[in-house]
Amino acid sequence: MNTEDRIMSALEEVIDPEIGVNVVDLGLIYGITVDDKGSAIIRMTLTVPECPLADDIVADVKQAASKVNGIQHVEVQLVWEPRWTPALMNDQAREEIRARQSLV
């Protein structure tokens, strides 16, 4: 598994607190690049630009990526294009959301 894949795997532990699903399954991670010095740049979005927990989510993403062996520095770039839509979620996210809604 390459470093980008290991980071993506680590980001599966970062949960969007309002939705209760991880940022990877939600489709919020748009790209990860890592240079030979261990610096990672993570391009991501949020479900809405005015997300009140944006700082917390970004901090959690940085922390999770920093735990990957060989990563020395993490930069998170929040991007708004393309705009996030529910179509970016994977099947796992859809199932988790449906399960939560059926409990209500």
Side-chain angles (χ1 to χ4, degrees):
M1 187 182 304
N2 67 30
T3 305
E4 289 85 355
D5 290 340
R6 291 194 332 258
I7 292 172
M8 188 69 86
S9 181
L11 296 181
E12 290 176 348
E13 302 300 318
V14 178
I15 305 298
D16 181 307
E18 290 186 312
I19 299 174
V21 177
N22 75 68
V23 296
V24 174
D25 289 347
L26 283 172
L28 299 179
I29 306 301
Y30 286 172
I32 300 171
T33 56
V34 179
D35 68 18
D36 57 355
K37 296 177 184 168
S39 290
I41 298 174
I42 300 169
R43 291 183 67 247
M44 68 174 291
T45 194
L46 299 169
T47 55
V48 292
E50 56 279 344
C51 176
L53 299 171
D55 291 340
D56 295 331
I57 295 170
V58 168
D60 291 348
V61 165
K62 284 183 179 181
Q63 182 179 25
S66 294
K67 292 179 181 177
V68 172
N69 189 30
I71 297 301
Q72 306 300 318
H73 173 75
V74 178
E75 176 185 340
V76 174
Q77 296 176 344
L78 283 178
V79 297
W80 307 110
E81 293 295 327
R83 187 172 191 87
W84 182 86
T85 69
L88 295 173
M89 293 188 296
N90 65 20
D91 290 340
Q92 177 68 29
R94 286 182 179 83
E95 289 176 26
E96 288 181 43
I97 291 169
R98 273 191 219 111
R100 280 185 179 78
Q101 289 174 342
S102 69
L103 295 174
V104 178

